[in-house]
Amino acid sequence: MRTAYHEQLSELNKTLGQMCELSGTTMEHATQALLQADLDVAERLLEDSKGMSKLVADAEEQAFRLLALQAPVAGELREVVSGFQIAADIDRMYALALHVAKVARMRHPDPALPEEVRGYFAEMGRLAVRLAQGARDVLDTEDASAALALDTDDDAMDDLHRHLFSVLMDREWPHGVAAAVDVTLLGRYYERFADHAVAVGRRVVFQATGQTPEQIVGSVESD
């Protein structure tokens, strides 16, 4: 009776997965532009945002179609509303990746990052890409344990973010206010990217089950 609904929901989740993949790839390339002061990469990312715009429009259209034509009720309505929220989180991830590319472009031909913090951002970029891929995997599997596992990388990102401030607050910081502002903003972009990836994983599980990942894993462990 609800075959059409489930097929359309599957299409929506497929589009969300493509959005997640694009966000991760964009952050990977933006980090490359940042670390290598690569103007070509930064400009290419900033000039080629049509792909994400189309995916966002597709996701919204698919979600509205589900609301208008399939008259979802109870759990189905939760699934559709969660789809809107997931799309918003992923779109924000993409925007944060573009913010990184903008800083790389703005500071060219000089590197945006002082040598003291380059290692931090290399690792933050790696974690961001892994979190995006992890969120994509949760979209595919709806696995509560995988959603919870995203918290580990998010905690590592938070640790790096905190350590950045210890470097910035060092009295021996020789790079001036502008560099400190850049590093502060960039750290925040990566930290927020991670937060949205974790939110995607949690929303996917709630979309599918009506429960948080903790509730599902806890109930399994108590059996």
Side-chain angles (χ1 to χ4, degrees):
M1 292 293 292
R2 302 298 286 162
T3 300
Y5 166 81
H6 289 293
E7 288 177 350
Q8 290 179 21
L9 182 64
S10 177
E11 283 300 309
L12 171 59
N13 284 340
K14 179 180 178 181
T15 301
L16 295 173
Q18 292 171 338
M19 290 173 61
C20 217
E21 185 75 24
L22 180 55
S23 292
T25 300
T26 302
M27 182 57 96
E28 181 178 17
H29 292 162
T31 302
Q32 174 190 338
L34 185 68
L35 293 173
Q36 299 177 8
D38 193 324
L39 180 63
D40 290 340
V41 171
E43 289 190 332
R44 186 166 64 249
L45 293 175
L46 293 168
E47 292 171 0
D48 188 23
S49 61
K50 292 181 180 178
M52 180 58 80
S53 296
K54 182 180 185 307
L55 288 171
V56 170
D58 288 346
E60 290 177 347
E61 180 183 352
Q62 289 161 355
F64 279 121
R65 189 185 306 127
L66 279 164
L67 287 174
L69 301 181
Q70 299 300 330
V73 295
E76 294 175 348
L77 185 60
R78 179 194 67 237
E79 291 171 338
V80 178
V81 171
S82 294
F84 281 111
Q85 295 170 325
I86 292 166
D89 278 315
I90 302 172
D91 191 31
R92 187 59 186 152
M93 290 165 63
Y94 179 76
L96 289 162
L98 291 186
H99 287 335
V100 173
K102 287 177 183 177
V103 174
R105 182 178 67 177
M106 179 175 64
R107 295 304 178 198
H108 186 82
D110 296 323
L113 296 175
E115 187 63 33
E116 291 94 321
V117 299
R118 287 174 57 84
Y120 287 95
F121 282 96
E123 180 63 9
M124 291 172 86
R126 186 187 70 82
L127 287 170
V129 173
R130 194 161 79 178
L131 278 158
Q133 185 57 58
R136 169 69 187 269
D137 291 343
V138 176
L139 276 161
D140 290 339
T141 65
E142 300 177 353
D143 186 330
S145 295
L148 284 178
L150 296 175
D151 288 338
T152 300
D153 283 340
D154 185 44
D155 289 343
M157 184 75 81
D158 289 340
D159 285 343
L160 287 166
H161 191 224
R162 283 191 293 270
H163 284 308
L164 273 177
F165 281 99
S166 67
V167 176
L168 291 172
M169 296 301 291
D170 191 326
R171 292 182 180 181
E172 301 300 320
W173 174 261
H175 303 290
V177 173
V181 170
D182 283 347
V183 170
T184 300
L185 288 174
L186 286 163
R188 181 63 171 164
Y189 298 153
Y190 283 92
E191 188 261 342
R192 289 301 297 151
F193 185 99
D195 287 346
H196 284 289
V198 171
V200 169
R202 297 181 66 84
R203 291 190 198 280
V204 170
V205 174
F206 183 76
Q207 178 196 51
T209 67
Q211 294 181 292
T212 67
E214 290 89 350
Q215 288 174 320
I216 294 173
V217 172
S219 65
V220 170
E221 291 175 349
S222 64
D223 288 344

